[in-house]
Amino acid sequence: MTPSHMILIALAGFGAGVINALVGSGTLITFPTLVALGYPPVTATMSNATGLVAGSVSGTWGYRAELSGQWARLRWQIPASLAGAVLGAYLLLHLPEKVFAEVVPVLLVLALALVVAGPAIQAWTGRRAEAAGRSPEHVSPARMAVLVAGTFAVGVYGGYFTAAQGILLVGLMGALLPESVQRMNAAKNLMTLVVNVVAAIAYTTVACDRISWPVAGLIAAGSLLGGFVGARYGRRLSGNALRGVIVVVGLIGLYRLLSVA
């Protein structure tokens, strides 16, 4: 590995750490970078997922204050993410990558639509709750079941490919929960951390020889710093500004996914 390649990978890791803390989809920076440098797709996927764990830790820590008051719900969502990630990691080791690659653009478009429509959906559900005599913050058992099932599905996807799983989670929660986008972002960071840790453990246990550890180490160093930077400045954005960042990054990711396909 040449010094220029080392710098490029570390910078890609930093950018991915910033974007993951703010939005999710940092893999859309690191994965194409590794492939462009000549790493096989599966090696790139596994090395990238392993390295980005560090950035997920720093991003989650930076948003820790926004997690307050969410644990009653997260105690159901976290196991769903965990189970989904295990299944997704298994699928990566046993199925061709093109199976999910064909579905990713559709999921991303749906998630972006939910991010944009989130405030309107929340206002509508709030009016319905008040008309029924319930608190607007009330989450019905049916909505909780849909949320947990959706979290599991995103966990499967995240364990398989990781790219844009954060956008999918924010879109899902925005459609179902009476939460601010910053608090949803904090929950997203925690659940993507769970998914990335599970994926990294699975890859190192079953396919350690297919991981490029120098690459994973460079991405880890870059993303660790990037996660702190992203969380520090992302928490200062207004809800609408953060939604705008999510949509712009999501559209760029969608373009890159379609152009590669």
Side-chain angles (χ1 to χ4, degrees), residues 103-157:
V103 180
V104 171
V106 177
L107 293 175
L108 192 49
V109 169
L110 175 61
L112 291 175
L114 291 175
V115 169
V116 172
I121 294 173
Q122 289 176 356
W124 177 73
T125 56
R127 289 193 298 269
R128 287 195 61 188
E130 289 179 346
R134 300 191 304 269
S135 167
E137 286 73 33
H138 173 73
V139 179
S140 68
R143 268 200 291 169
M144 181 63 76
V146 173
L147 178 66
V148 172
T151 301
F152 170 80
V154 175
V156 174
Y157 165 77

Side-chain angles (χ1 to χ4, degrees), residues 73-74 76-77 80-81 139-154 168-178 184 191:
R73 183 185 73 255
L74 287 172
W76 296 101
Q77 284 187 273
S81 282
V139 179
S140 68
R143 268 200 291 169
M144 181 63 76
V146 173
L147 178 66
V148 172
T151 301
F152 170 80
V154 175
L168 296 176
L169 277 170
V170 172
L172 174 71
M173 290 187 289
L176 296 171
L177 297 177
M184 290 187 292
M191 284 182 282

Side-chain angles (χ1 to χ4, degrees), residues 130-248:
E130 289 179 346
R134 300 191 304 269
S135 167
E137 286 73 33
H138 173 73
V139 179
S140 68
R143 268 200 291 169
M144 181 63 76
V146 173
L147 178 66
V148 172
T151 301
F152 170 80
V154 175
V156 174
Y157 165 77
Y160 189 95
F161 186 55
T162 73
Q165 61 173 315
I167 295 176
L168 296 176
L169 277 170
V170 172
L172 174 71
M173 290 187 289
L176 296 171
L177 297 177
E179 290 283 6
S180 71
V181 67
Q182 289 286 11
R183 284 170 59 80
M184 290 187 292
N185 200 47
K188 174 269 295 179
N189 284 344
L190 177 59
M191 284 182 282
T192 54
L193 170 61
V194 170
V195 171
N196 287 344
V197 167
V198 169
I201 291 174
Y203 301 157
T204 55
T205 301
V206 179
C208 182
D209 58 316
R210 302 176 76 178
I211 297 174
S212 173
W213 290 104
V215 167
L218 288 168
I219 291 177
S223 68
L224 182 67
L225 178 59
F228 279 121
V229 171
R232 178 180 177 85
Y233 292 101
R235 295 175 67 238
R236 301 178 183 180
L237 294 175
S238 68
N240 287 335
L242 185 54
R243 288 183 195 277
V245 172
I246 292 172
V247 171
V248 170

